[in-house]
Amino acid sequence: MRRGTLYRAASLIVVAGLIVCAAMLWRPSIDPLAQAPAVDEASARRGARVAEQGDCAVCHTRPGGAYMAGGLPLVTPFGTLYTTNITPDRDTGIGSWPPEAFVRAMRHGVSRDGHFLYPAFPYVHYSKMSDGDISDVYAYLMSVDPVSARAPENHMMFPMNFRPLVSFWNLLFLRDDRLTDLPDRSAQWNRGRYLVEGAGHCSSCHTPLNFIGGEKGSEHLGGGLVDGWNAPALTGMAQRSNPWTAEQLVTYLRAGVAGHHGAAAGPMLPVSLSLAQLPEADAQAIADYLLSLDSNSLDSNTPSSGPDCEATGAASAGAASRVSAPALAQGEALFAGACAGCHGGGAPMRTIDGRPGLSVVSAATASDPRNLIKTILDGIPMSDRAPSHYMPPFADTLDDAHIAALAGYLRNQACGAAPWRDLQQTVNTLRQEGQSK
Ligand code: HEC
Ligand code: HEC
Ligand code: HEC
């Protein structure tokens, strides 16, 4: 008898568990609109700004492709997926989406037909946005030119190709908690926090990820790795040996060149080009918030969060590991030939535009040589939003040994006592990574 009750209880628990699982794995479809929604123009105008804050076009427009029509491949550790068409085309875009379907996608990462979206779409951050901002982006997207374009098939690895698994990921990492202002902080600080933690989704690159691709909460903004680049720590920026001022941060964030720190390249460049479209007050608010963040992770083992001029590896400093004189001479000669026309002391870029020499920029003082090497390999692509920013890629003109010699020389100029190790191997690895894309 007792045993029968136990069995019944156990099977009830199993059935309940299965029902909970099924409910977790399934979301209802939301009926499509019969006709295109009327667009409120004032809301759409505000939404254009929110779209810049959220970098929607950076991901949803592929190079050479139509605005917001998707198709950009995103390479993740779990496979490659393509951004979708978010123009108001009814068949291939979101033209038939009612507002509540859009809100659900932004806050819960679920598509109109009920399928789970991959968190490469930063809904974990967008869920923190205000209702007003989300409905403004919706109005804006409904006002852009509709384009018929279907995203290519994704190539996600097993088991990640089974979308419902994302619901377990959401359980761990998705908090539907809209940010509310902290009363003891200024309006500017709260605005900065809202932009950084919400639409700006800065932590999606600037926070280290765990093995299932979730941000490590304990190292929030402590520095991350993205597309082979280091996204440096955004904590403790005011306490570094080469500290950032609010003014320098504002210039940097708005796609300018910050004295003593350099300019944005790699995955940060499009972010700064978007921020440049926004009122300067937004960048000032972001700077105010960032400079208030303590260096909670400066003593962690994340290489990207190391302070200026600290070498990776314990015993890196000291005479034995100094770069040899012939290697330095080779680097110097390469610099004179390939780089000095733009970066040398007398170059117009320095004298007229006032750009800092490479010995003070973050790429050269970071504990890790990645960003410097990536900049040399990839260059800085031409953009009609920042015509004077161009730097040619050197991947095809300089071999690994040359780039290693250049990096060794530039590091020596910046941080003579803390040379980088294994440069040629690192160049080789970064080159391979770049080609496998
Ligand atoms: C870091 C890249 C990235 C950014 C930035 C981004 N998205 Fe996306 N978005 C994606 C990817 C990838 C998908 C497709 C996910 C999938 O297929 O599971 C997606 C899907 C979507 C979808 C669902 C479309 C559908 O058909 O299911 C909507 C809506 C959307 N994004 C809106 C936005 C808006 C609005 C912004 C700006 C506030 C934005 N996205 C910014 C990467 C991005
Ligand atoms: C798509 C990934 C990505 C996103 C999103 C992103 N960043 Fe970055 N960020 C980077 C990378 C990569 C670098 C290094 C760029 C370089 O060295 O040229 C960087 C550099 C920076 C730096 C310079 C740090 C230093 O020590 O030199 C600041 C400041 C910064 N980002 C702020 C932000 C803010 C604020 C946001 C959100 C509004 C943001 N980033 C969003 C990838 C990103
Ligand atoms: C045609 C001009 C040009 C040439 C040649 C050139 N660069 Fe650049 N480089 C730029 C521009 C523009 C930037 C963007 C930063 C800026 O606006 O100051 C940049 C940025 C960089 C950065 C990142 C600095 C930062 O501000 O974060 C590094 C590192 C760099 N270059 C190294 C090199 C090296 C090494 C060479 C030679 C192999 C080289 N560059 C050749 C134009 C050039």
Side-chain angles (χ1 to χ4, degrees):
M1 191 59 214
R2 248 189 89 85
R3 179 168 279 200
T5 321
L6 257 178
Y7 276 138
R8 235 169 298 144
S11 40
L12 256 173
I13 290 172
V14 169
V15 169
L18 285 176
I19 292 174
V20 169
C21 271
M24 277 193 59
L25 298 182
W26 180 82
R27 292 289 180 278
S29 166
I30 295 178
D31 287 342
L33 290 172
Q35 59 184 61
V39 172
D40 175 323
E41 276 185 28
S43 173
R45 259 197 310 277
R46 290 193 302 269
R49 280 194 180 173
V50 184
E52 289 288 2
Q53 290 161 11
D55 300 323
C56 317
V58 173
C59 284
H60 284 277
T61 308
R62 68 176 168 79
Y67 184 65
M68 298 287 189
L72 181 81
L74 297 183
V75 182
T76 77
F78 313 104
T80 300
L81 80 167
Y82 293 86
T83 56
T84 49
N85 180 348
I86 53 171
T87 71
D89 181 63
R90 284 186 62 85
D91 298 322
T92 61
I94 60 168
S96 70
W97 286 37
E100 60 272 26
F102 185 77
V103 171
R104 184 174 69 169
M106 295 289 279
R107 293 211 184 279
H108 304 286
V110 176
S111 189
R112 185 194 63 73
D113 67 6
H115 74 259
F116 284 92
L117 295 162
Y118 289 113
F121 164 41
Y123 57 85
V124 172
H125 304 280
Y126 297 153
S127 67
K128 297 189 162 44
M129 290 164 64
S130 68
D131 292 338
D133 275 359
I134 292 186
S135 77
D136 289 344
V137 191
Y138 175 77
Y140 172 65
L141 289 174
M142 289 301 162
S143 76
V144 311
D145 289 338
V147 177
S148 174
R150 219 173 276 283
E153 197 80 19
N154 293 334
H155 299 286
M156 295 299 275
M157 289 181 289
F158 179 81
M160 281 304 184
N161 52 2
F162 182 60
R163 284 184 180 265
L165 282 187
V166 172
S167 69
F168 293 102
W169 193 95
N170 288 343
L171 212 57
L172 295 172
F173 301 109
L174 178 62
R175 303 273 168 275
D176 183 13
D177 50 354
R178 268 152 258 211
L179 279 181
T180 43
D181 285 0
L182 300 185
D184 57 335
R185 295 287 194 159
S186 69
Q188 172 167 282
W189 185 93
N190 275 306
R191 171 80 179 152
R193 171 169 169 260
Y194 176 75
L195 290 172
V196 166
E197 308 294 352
H201 64 281
C202 315
S203 69
S204 66
C205 295
H206 284 277
T207 298
L209 303 182
N210 61 24
F211 72 102
I212 49 169
E215 291 171 24
K216 292 186 182 165
S218 58
E219 290 173 55
H220 186 62
L221 295 175
L225 206 57
V226 49
D227 289 346
W229 290 75
N230 262 321
L234 299 183
T235 50
M237 297 189 82
Q239 290 104 40
R240 296 193 195 163
S241 54
N242 178 11
W244 285 78
T245 64
E247 202 187 342
Q248 289 166 341
L249 256 176
V250 169
T251 323
Y252 181 95
L253 290 172
R254 306 189 82 229
V257 185
H260 298 101
H261 298 284
M268 187 60 199
L269 180 60
V271 176
S272 62
L273 292 174
S274 294
L275 289 171
Q277 309 297 313
L278 299 172
E280 191 169 318
D282 280 349
Q284 280 161 350
I286 293 178
D288 191 12
Y289 174 65
L290 290 183
L291 290 175
S292 78
L293 301 177
D294 286 339
S295 52
N296 57 0
S297 50
L298 280 190
D299 53 3
S300 82
N301 289 326
T302 324
S304 53
S305 64
D308 307 312
C309 283
E310 186 182 87
T312 42
S316 304
S321 61
R322 293 274 164 96
V323 188
S324 73
L328 281 181
Q330 190 199 12
E332 186 173 8
L334 283 165
F335 182 82
C339 325
C342 293
H343 291 291
M349 210 172 96
R350 298 278 306 277
T351 53
I352 300 173
D353 298 347
R355 290 177 155 103
L358 291 184
S359 61
V360 296
V361 299
S362 299
T365 60
S367 56
D368 184 307
R370 275 176 180 273
N371 290 0
L372 187 117
I373 294 171
K374 287 289 280 183
T375 310
I376 301 176
L377 285 170
D378 300 353
I380 300 180
M382 192 76 85
S383 155
D384 47 11
R385 285 183 153 188
S388 70
H389 237 71
Y390 177 73
M391 165 166 157
F394 288 92
D396 294 337
T397 42
L398 297 173
D399 65 20
D400 292 358
H402 286 147
I403 295 179
L406 260 173
Y409 165 72
L410 291 171
R411 176 66 170 183
N412 189 262
Q413 300 284 99
C415 311
W420 283 320
R421 292 281 190 90
D422 307 323
L423 277 172
Q424 195 162 329
Q425 183 53 46
T426 311
V427 177
N428 188 267
T429 311
L430 290 174
R431 199 192 277 278
Q432 308 290 338
E433 275 178 19
Q435 279 164 354
S436 65
K437 287 262 164 82

